[in-house]
């Protein structure tokens, strides 16, 4: 018991601020060496980072505390680690030439009947992948093409949409809207390892992950191609495999623009012949990597003029198109106006999700329904706030109102409409009578313009002021989080470190609610997820001491089983 307590105490009291600074300094040196093309220095610093105690601690903390899927088990059945096991994993964390197979899980694709395969690694392999990502990501962030936005730190889908807007706002262009068919499942291992060009130790470990196979229904299946989805390092490996697409397009035409988000991309140019030549070049380039375009999602269109019966295109949930306007309506006298709005499929999918929630809560209290709807509405409106017209939010609000009205009238079929309105709507808002629960209106979200990230910037360049300001202005950031981030000058008060785009942030009550604290901004602070866990643990200890009772240490391993349940 004493040993366990000492180990727990050591994990929670580790100098995380010092460890993160050590790792970030090495990552910055790797980034700068990669920028100047010093491969020898890059490999030397990567080996130093992989052996450091600080990097191993951060890798284990990420997969056991910070990640959303931290309680998802691999083939070994381990789905959580207590502080004792975290320390033990840190001590034996090393890159090897072996890897355990991933656990195959099938999840449905949104709006489709087909399912997507996921490969869930074991906790130990996830920690190794997180460790290797700490070393590989700075090198490749210095090399990635400027118009690659998917699964990269400090970049988002809104940056890709803004890049498209900047490309077409002055001159209408033809567009090749394309999608790579089963990108993660068909990447050639040989081509990926050749593009990686890593030291032998890293190369052997990556090859072991790629060739590790999958376990499904108790049977092992080999993997001859593709990278397992859901792995910590899988998005980075996919970006490395697709690196070079933009340069290949520039060889066809220097004025052609390729904008890519993961496996979705568009090519824009003023001439259709150039677009067709670019498609042929991309098809041959993808074939070298074992990939191909998906015919059902590949089409030509034009942003202004009708082409093959279509005007504009859909990309990342937005519809991009241009309309003709008179010279007095166009500020720059271009004769056209660029409109970026939520796509019809995106709006339909959101309204379907709202409808399913209302149906699932048809017998629940009003406050429970509001708690279930608010995150969905807030997330959708924040994502689409940069490219939306008021009519879109008005339509979504009107459709939601009628669904809620149907929900309320069915619960009280023997009451009048006036009674139902007085019971569930107060001051023209769907809220409880005490005013503690209020539904978010779609129209409450202000329409804001997103500022595109600079092409040559990276979170590893050391400019904390630039990245902290961008993080505070991100469109998908909730209002309360943005206000706290600004008040705290972009820093976590617990560890004193700046927040980064990939960090998990949580709102904490300085004085817990159970002790009389309120929801005022003066009683709120923004913390890292792991800092929030430590703060909650100290609050529980303090509360236990005040009541003169003994509380056993929190053990996350007790919250879940260590063996897999039989899937059905």
């Amino acid at each position: 018991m004493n040993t366990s307590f000492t180990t727990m105490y050591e994990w929670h009291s580790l100098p995380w601020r010092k460890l993160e600074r050590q790792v970030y300094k090495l990552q910055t040196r790797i980034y700068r060496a990669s920028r100047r093309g010093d491969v020898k220095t890059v490999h030397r610093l990567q080996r130093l980072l992989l052996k450091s105690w600080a990097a191993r601690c951060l890798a284990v903390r990420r997969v056991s505390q910070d990640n959303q899927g931290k309680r998802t088990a691999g083939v070994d059945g381990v789905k959580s680690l207590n502080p004792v096991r975290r320390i033990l994993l840190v001590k034996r964390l090393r890159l090897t030439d072996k890897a355990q197979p991933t656990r195959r899980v099938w999840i449905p694709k949104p709006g489709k009947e087909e399912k997507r395969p996921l490969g869930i690694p074991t906790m130990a392999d996830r920690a190794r992948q997180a460790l290797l990502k700490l070393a590989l990501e700075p090198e490749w962030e210095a090399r990635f093409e400027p118009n690659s936005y998917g699964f990269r730190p400090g970049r988002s889908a809104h940056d890709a949409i803004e890049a498209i807007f900047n490309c077409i706002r002055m001159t209408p262009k033809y567009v090749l809207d394309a999608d790579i068919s089963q990108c993660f499942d068909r990447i050639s291992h040989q081509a990926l390892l050749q593009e990686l060009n890593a030291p032998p130790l890293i190369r052997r470990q990556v090859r072991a992950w790629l060739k590790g196979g999958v376990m499904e229904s108790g049977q092992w299946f080999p993997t001859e191609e593709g990278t397992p989805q859901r792995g910590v390092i899988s998005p980075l490996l996919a970006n490395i495999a697709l690196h070079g697409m933009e340069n290949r397009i520039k060889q066809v035409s220097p004025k052609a623009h390729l904008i890519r988000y993961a496996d979705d991309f568009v090519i824009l140019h003023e001439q259709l012949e150039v677009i067709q030549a670019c498609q042929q070049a991309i098809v041959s380039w993808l074939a070298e990597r074992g990939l191909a375009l998906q015919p059902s999602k590949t089409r030509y269109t034009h942003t202004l003029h009708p082409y093959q019966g279509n005007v504009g295109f859909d990309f990342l949930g937005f519809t991009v198109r241009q309309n003709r306007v008179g010279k007095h309506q166009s500020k720059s006298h271009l004769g056209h106006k660029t409109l970026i709005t939520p796509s019809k499929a995106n709006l339909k999918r959101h309204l379907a999700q709202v409808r399913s929630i209302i149906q699932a809560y048809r017998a629940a209290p009003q406050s429970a329904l509001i708690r279930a709807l608010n995150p969905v509405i807030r997330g959708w409106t924040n994502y689409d706030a940069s490219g939306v017209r008021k009519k879109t939010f008005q339509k979504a609000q009107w459709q939601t109102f009628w669904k809620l009205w149907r929900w309320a009238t069915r619960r009280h079929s023997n009451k009048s409409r006036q009674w139902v309105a007085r019971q569930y709507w107060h001051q023209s808002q769907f809220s409880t009578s005490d005013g503690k629960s209020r539904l978010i209106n779609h129209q409450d979200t202000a329409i804001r313009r997103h500022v595109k990230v600079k092409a040559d910037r990276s979170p590893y360049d050391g400019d904390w002021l630039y990245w902290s300001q961008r993080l505070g202005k991100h469109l998908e950031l909730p209002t309360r989080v943005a206000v706290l981030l600004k008040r705290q000058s972009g820093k976590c008060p617990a560890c004193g470190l700046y927040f980064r785009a990939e960090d998990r942030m949580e709102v904490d009550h300085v004085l817990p609610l159970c002790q009389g604290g309120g929801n005022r901004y003066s009683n709120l602070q923004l913390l890292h997820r792991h800092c929030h866990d430590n703060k909650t643990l100290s609050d529980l200890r303090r509360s236990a001491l005040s009541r003169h009772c003994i509380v056993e240490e929190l053990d996350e391993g007790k919250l879940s089983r260590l063996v897999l349940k039989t899937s059905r």
Side-chain angles (χ1 to χ4, degrees):
M1 184 67 182
N2 294 333
T3 305
S4 300
F5 178 81
T6 303
T7 309
M8 291 180 188
Y9 181 76
E10 289 178 353
W11 175 261
H12 291 300
S13 62
L14 283 173
W16 293 109
R17 178 186 175 90
K18 182 178 179 180
L19 299 181
E20 289 202 32
R21 285 183 177 274
Q22 292 177 0
V23 173
Y24 184 74
K25 285 182 179 180
L26 283 175
Q27 289 179 319
T28 304
R29 293 173 63 186
I30 294 173
Y31 173 81
R32 292 173 179 171
S34 181
R35 290 275 289 185
R36 64 176 181 265
D38 191 352
V39 179
K40 185 178 180 180
T41 302
V42 169
H43 291 174
R44 178 176 59 83
L45 292 173
Q46 285 177 339
R47 290 193 294 269
L48 182 62
L49 180 62
L50 293 173
K51 295 178 181 179
S52 70
W53 172 267
R56 286 183 283 161
C57 288
L58 293 181
V60 172
R61 189 185 69 179
R62 175 176 179 179
V63 301
S64 63
Q65 288 185 278
D66 293 345
N67 280 6
Q68 288 290 103
K70 60 183 178 182
R71 295 194 183 277
T72 306
V75 294
D76 58 353
V78 177
K79 60 171 61 175
S80 65
L81 296 177
N82 57 21
V84 178
R85 294 180 178 177
R86 292 173 197 161
I87 291 290
L88 295 177
L89 180 57
V90 170
K91 291 180 179 179
R92 64 171 183 264
L93 190 61
R94 296 288 189 279
L95 294 188
T96 64
D97 56 352
K98 298 179 181 180
Q100 291 183 286
T102 59
R103 183 167 69 94
R104 174 61 54 86
V105 175
W106 295 87
I107 61 172
K109 291 186 177 181
K112 298 180 181 179
E113 295 182 358
E114 58 180 323
K115 294 185 177 182
R116 174 183 298 143
L118 297 182
I120 302 175
T122 61
M123 188 69 73
D125 279 333
R126 270 181 270 177
R128 292 190 187 94
Q129 291 183 13
L131 177 62
L132 183 55
K133 186 178 180 181
L134 290 175
L136 282 181
E137 194 169 57
E139 174 194 0
W140 283 94
E141 278 297 313
R143 299 171 56 183
F144 279 142
E145 296 160 323
N147 284 318
S148 169
Y149 298 98
F151 304 118
R152 292 182 58 188
R155 283 164 168 77
S156 64
H158 297 93
D159 294 312
I161 295 297
E162 193 65 20
I164 294 175
F165 175 80
N166 294 335
C167 181
I168 67 174
R169 65 188 180 94
M170 300 298 293
T171 306
K173 295 179 180 178
Y174 284 96
V175 182
L176 171 64
D177 182 14
D179 183 18
I180 302 175
S181 178
Q182 299 180 349
C183 177
F184 282 88
D185 300 330
R186 295 185 176 179
I187 293 177
S188 171
H189 292 173
Q190 182 179 358
L192 174 58
L193 293 173
Q194 184 176 358
E195 182 70 26
L196 187 61
N197 192 22
L201 177 62
I202 297 178
R203 182 185 177 91
R204 288 195 298 267
Q205 180 64 85
V206 173
R207 187 179 185 279
W209 286 327
L210 296 176
K211 301 291 186 180
V214 297
M215 291 289 293
E216 185 175 6
S217 301
Q219 187 175 358
W220 180 81
F221 297 93
T223 51
E224 301 298 334
E225 58 184 4
T227 61
Q229 299 186 49
R230 195 61 185 268
V232 177
I233 203 172
S234 296
L236 177 60
L237 295 179
N239 275 331
I240 293 174
L242 297 177
H243 176 66
M245 290 182 65
E246 190 173 353
N247 292 333
R248 183 65 185 91
I249 291 301
K250 293 296 182 181
Q251 295 175 4
V252 178
S253 175
K255 294 184 178 181
H257 297 271
L258 183 142
I259 298 168
R260 180 175 65 86
Y261 187 91
D263 57 346
D264 296 335
F265 66 92
V266 293
I267 301 176
L268 305 104
H269 195 272
E270 299 179 24
Q271 299 179 6
L272 180 60
E273 295 77 11
V274 175
I275 293 291
Q276 294 172 343
C278 290
Q279 181 185 7
Q280 296 177 0
I282 285 296
V283 168
S284 60
W285 186 88
L286 291 174
E288 298 174 357
R289 288 152 178 80
L291 302 172
L293 297 180
Q294 190 169 352
S296 60
K297 294 185 178 180
T298 302
R299 67 188 185 98
Y300 294 104
T301 183
H302 195 272
T303 59
L304 179 61
H305 307 295
Y307 181 79
Q308 295 181 351
N310 297 316
V311 179
F313 60 97
D314 292 347
F315 190 64
L316 301 178
F318 293 93
T319 296
V320 182
R321 62 171 297 168
Q322 294 171 315
N323 293 338
R324 290 190 178 275
V325 296
K327 62 179 181 179
H328 299 293
Q329 298 179 10
S330 180
K331 295 182 180 180
S332 57
H333 304 284
L334 298 174
H336 64 269
K337 183 177 181 180
T338 303
L339 297 176
I340 299 179
T341 60
S343 64
K344 293 182 179 179
N346 184 13
L347 178 60
K348 183 178 179 180
R349 187 163 52 246
H350 170 64
L351 294 177
Q353 186 178 8
V354 171
R355 181 175 61 252
S356 63
I357 293 176
I358 294 176
Q359 290 177 353
Y361 284 78
R362 57 182 176 268
Q366 184 185 14
S367 57
L369 175 62
I370 292 176
R371 286 195 301 269
L373 285 176
N374 275 343
V376 175
I377 296 176
R378 184 186 295 111
W380 186 80
T381 53
N382 285 342
Y383 180 82
D384 294 288
S386 64
V388 68
R389 291 181 295 180
K390 291 184 178 180
K391 292 182 179 179
T392 306
F393 278 176
Q394 289 174 356
K395 181 178 180 180
Q397 180 63 38
W398 188 247
Q399 294 278 354
T400 303
F401 166 76
W402 281 113
K403 291 178 175 62
L404 293 173
W405 179 257
R406 189 181 182 92
W407 173 87
T409 53
R410 282 190 171 186
R411 292 163 66 93
H412 306 282
S413 58
N414 58 340
K415 299 291 185 179
S416 64
R417 295 184 177 183
Q418 292 78 8
W419 185 92
V420 172
R422 290 194 303 268
Q423 183 73 14
Y424 294 101
W425 276 266
H426 303 88
Q427 297 180 355
S428 302
Q429 290 183 334
F430 188 77
S431 60
T432 56
S433 57
D434 56 6
K436 294 183 179 180
S437 299
R438 184 183 69 85
L439 185 69
I440 297 175
N441 292 328
H442 291 78
Q443 295 173 282
D444 292 344
T445 303
I447 300 174
R448 296 174 291 169
R449 180 73 180 272
H450 180 71
V451 179
K452 179 182 173 296
V453 64
K454 295 182 180 179
D456 59 342
R457 303 306 297 267
S458 170
Y460 300 106
D461 58 12
D463 192 349
W464 285 109
L465 179 62
Y466 174 80
W467 291 105
S468 61
Q469 289 177 347
R470 281 193 59 82
L471 182 61
K473 297 178 181 178
H474 198 278
L475 292 173
E476 297 185 78
L477 206 64
T479 304
R480 187 168 64 168
V481 175
V483 172
L484 293 174
L485 197 62
K486 185 176 181 180
R487 287 190 172 195
Q488 298 171 194
S489 301
K491 289 185 178 181
C492 174
C495 63
L497 296 174
Y498 281 97
F499 289 104
R500 291 185 286 183
E502 63 272 17
D503 290 340
R504 299 290 182 180
M505 300 177 291
E506 294 182 350
V507 178
D508 172 66
H509 293 83
V510 179
L511 182 64
L513 294 175
C514 60
Q515 300 179 14
N519 288 318
R520 302 180 303 274
Y521 277 111
S522 58
N523 191 47
L524 298 178
Q525 61 181 352
L526 195 64
L527 303 177
H528 291 103
R529 173 173 289 179
H530 48 270
C531 294
H532 191 196
D533 292 342
N534 295 339
K535 165 74 164 45
T536 303
L537 182 60
S538 63
D539 289 342
L540 290 176
R541 288 172 176 168
R542 192 179 301 110
S543 177
L545 290 176
S546 65
R547 292 193 299 267
H548 302 285
C549 61
I550 300 176
V551 177
E552 185 182 1
E553 289 287 335
L554 292 179
D555 186 350
E556 295 186 13
K558 297 179 180 179
L559 301 178
S560 58
R561 294 176 56 180
L562 293 181
V563 294
L564 288 175
K565 295 182 180 180
T566 305
S567 58
R568 297 181 179 178

